[in-house]
Amino acid sequence: MNSLPPIADIDLRRATLCQVLHWLASGQVQPGRLAQVYLDAIERLNPQLNAYVGLSPALTREQAQGAERRRRDGVIGRLDGVPIALKDNFDIAGWPTHSGLPGPGRPAGHDAHVVARLRASGAVLIGKTNMDEGALGAVTNNPHFGATHNPHRRGYTAGGSSGGAAVAVAAGLAVAAIGSDSLGSIRIPASYCGVFALKPTQGEISARGMTPAARRLDTVGLLARGVDDLTVLLQVLAGYDAEDPRSRHRRVALSPPDWEPGKLRCGVLPNLPALGVQQDVLDVFEAALAKLNGELGERRTVDFDDWHFPRSRRAGFLLMEAEMLGTFAAQLADTEHPVSPQFRLLLDYATRKTAADYAEADRVLDTAALKMRRLFAQIDVLVTPTTPQGAFPLDGPVPDTQGDLTSFANLAGCPAVSIPMGTLPNGLPIGMQLVGARGSDLRLLELAAVWSATLDAAPDYPVGRDDF
């Protein structure tokens, strides 16, 4: 009989994935109770935060019961019994995939590749999270499903387009979450909400069954309350998928996590204010670099003067908008459930462009990939703030620089990690981004773990609050 003390509900919701796995393995908590703790919290808090747009408590409990049976039988998966949230652009068989768009949606016939991997690992799928309309935005103020509120301050954006997923993690409504990242959609909300995020090397995790934004840019993204959790999720979800034309068929394994932090060649940008980084963010970033001084190794200023961030970001958006004209053709033609005028206006931009414009945008991305390849011949890791600003009011203007520091990792297919680096003067969290060469995912995660331990900057997650 297990004599270990029971774990309090609030501690279950604050815990990292690795801690939850330990408690499950030791028998201190059972999958059924764990799932119910999260379902109860969602029922109480989701009306205020609007992180979830799709739930099936009965199916969640059924999955948790299956996890309990497997544990009794002694045959368990890597994530057996762990409640995981998914952004509403991933197919779950039998569930509609809205991708933030209106209409009833047709139930998916098959699981997305990552959903199948999660099921095979024993994870408990707890629900689908809110997102920007068509994943085209970074605010998660959805005209059809409502705004998702930052759990650190109601009325402020959670970021996007994976805003609901980030809030679910930060507010203790899921142990971890799966989202998508095309120009920063995982890392932007991670920065605003104070959680950890990984955008893997493009193709490392299959995107089959994920509604595409732009196939060349799309990456499955991971969100968690601990950096080590991202490594566990990557190991569960990564691998070649012959049914995904962009899946990465590795001839060699990911680079091993064998960097010596003190001997790093660490790249920094020369003029962050010129890239729109606000002074309060710059102050936190400089303080974080000073705290990491002994672990940065050799700091090298890298010349990004010729990168033309706005032009590159615009090229990425053109690819997204052009592809979405086809991806969402049925929704755009649905007069009974019309998309928002703003979404239609964004896609109309692509209709005014030519095939030559699209080809030129594609060449801009080729140039970005080559520049990043040359850059990582000179440095091991590029470090920047994740976002130029912190979370801002939902009813205020939306800055057009949100993705300027995140987008180039997508343009070049590189992995990037966002970790909490501190708190702004207004009390809201802000993130630091680490970008590495293609295939350096494990090295980045190890470095992120070392730096996170030094910074010790993860915010007090607003778990247990009922006054959002």
Side-chain angles (χ1 to χ4, degrees):
M1 193 171 174
N2 189 357
S3 60
L4 294 171
I7 310 299
D9 290 1
I10 192 168
D11 291 330
L12 288 173
R13 291 179 48 224
R14 284 194 178 116
T16 65
L17 183 151
C18 290
Q19 179 66 73
V20 168
L21 287 173
H22 169 71
W23 285 334
L24 286 166
S26 67
Q28 286 178 272
V29 66
Q30 295 299 316
R33 181 187 164 219
L34 182 63
Q36 193 59 52
V37 164
Y38 278 96
L39 288 172
D40 289 346
I42 292 167
E43 182 179 15
R44 188 171 69 255
L45 301 177
N46 198 57
Q48 303 170 62
L49 294 172
N50 197 32
Y52 285 93
V53 294
L55 293 161
S56 179
L59 288 176
T60 297
R61 294 187 188 100
E62 181 182 320
Q63 293 173 77
Q65 290 167 4
E68 292 193 358
R69 287 193 298 271
R70 289 190 294 274
R71 287 188 178 275
R72 287 196 297 269
D73 294 340
V75 181
I76 62 173
R78 187 69 179 87
L79 300 177
D80 230 302
V82 178
I84 304 288
L86 289 119
K87 186 176 179 179
D88 192 21
N89 60 347
F90 288 93
D91 288 343
I92 300 178
W95 292 42
T97 303
H98 293 286
S99 300
L101 295 170
R106 179 181 299 175
H110 304 279
D111 285 337
H113 182 81
V114 295
V115 174
R117 285 280 181 119
L118 288 171
R119 287 192 196 273
S121 74
V124 173
L125 309 181
I126 200 164
K128 288 196 165 191
T129 57
N130 200 11
M131 58 182 286
D132 285 277
E133 191 175 17
L136 194 55
V139 182
T140 314
N141 191 357
N142 190 293
H144 315 293
F145 295 92
T148 294
H149 292 261
N150 192 301
H152 296 277
R153 186 163 303 166
R154 183 172 170 79
Y156 276 62
T157 180
S161 61
S162 303
V167 171
V169 172
L173 306 182
V175 175
I178 312 300
S180 63
D181 192 313
S182 301
L183 288 173
S185 293
I186 278 285
R187 291 158 287 153
I188 293 169
S191 178
Y192 292 170
C193 294
V195 295
F196 296 85
L198 168 67
K199 183 210 89 68
T201 297
Q202 206 222 9
E204 191 61 38
I205 300 176
S206 171
R208 176 164 55 89
M210 182 182 87
T211 305
R215 289 169 177 82
R216 175 164 181 169
L217 306 174
D218 294 342
T219 311
V220 175
L222 314 175
L223 289 155
R225 287 189 290 274
V227 66
D228 292 335
D229 301 346
L230 301 175
T231 303
V232 174
L233 292 169
L234 178 65
Q235 290 170 340
V236 169
L237 299 176
Y240 178 63
D241 176 16
E243 297 300 316
D244 178 358
R246 294 190 180 274
S247 183
R248 187 167 177 258
H249 200 170
R250 297 195 300 261
R251 294 181 181 275
V252 294
L254 288 172
S255 300
D258 57 1
W259 280 337
E260 294 184 52
K263 296 182 179 179
L264 284 175
R265 299 172 300 165
C266 183
V268 293
L269 301 179
N271 191 355
L272 288 171
L275 297 175
V277 176
Q278 295 181 355
Q279 188 61 48
D280 56 350
V281 176
L282 185 61
D283 290 343
V284 175
F285 181 63
E286 292 294 346
L289 291 183
K291 196 171 185 180
L292 291 170
N293 187 48
E295 296 168 1
L296 292 176
E298 178 190 353
R299 287 175 62 170
R300 296 187 177 186
T301 300
V302 295
D303 183 8
F304 270 31
D305 287 344
D306 63 342
W307 276 66
H308 305 298
F309 281 132
R311 179 169 177 257
S312 298
R313 178 168 49 86
R314 184 64 260 168
F317 272 121
L318 176 55
L319 262 64
M320 291 175 66
E321 292 155 1
E323 287 197 33
M324 285 181 181
L325 288 172
T327 300
F328 299 125
Q331 290 91 334
L332 291 168
D334 185 352
T335 57
E336 187 176 351
H337 307 98
V339 301
S340 72
Q342 181 183 15
F343 185 71
R344 190 176 294 277
L345 181 64
L346 288 171
L347 298 197
D348 281 347
Y349 173 84
T351 66
R352 299 192 298 273
K353 296 296 181 178
T354 66
D357 293 324
Y358 185 94
E360 175 59 27
D362 197 56
R363 280 194 289 270
V364 169
L365 270 63
D366 283 343
T367 300
L370 290 174
K371 286 182 177 179
M372 290 297 266
R373 190 177 298 170
R374 295 170 190 141
L375 175 67
F376 288 113
Q378 305 170 41
I379 63 172
D380 299 309
V381 60
L382 176 68
V383 57
T384 73
T386 305
T387 49
Q389 66 290 114
F392 47 87
L394 283 162
D395 59 2
V398 177
D400 62 4
T401 58
Q402 284 180 277
D404 276 3
L405 298 177
T406 54
S407 60
F408 57 82
N410 297 87
L411 302 179
C414 294
V417 178
S418 180
I419 62 175
M421 71 170 173
T423 304
L424 297 170
N426 64 4
L428 294 176
I430 192 71
M432 171 184 283
Q433 177 181 233
L434 292 70
V435 184
R438 289 174 61 90
S440 66
D441 307 52
L442 295 178
R443 287 178 166 179
L444 279 186
L445 288 167
E446 182 194 48
L447 187 61
V450 172
W451 287 8
S452 294
T454 300
L455 293 174
D456 192 22
D460 290 330
Y461 293 121
V463 177
R465 283 181 51 190
D466 292 328
D467 59 341
F468 292 109

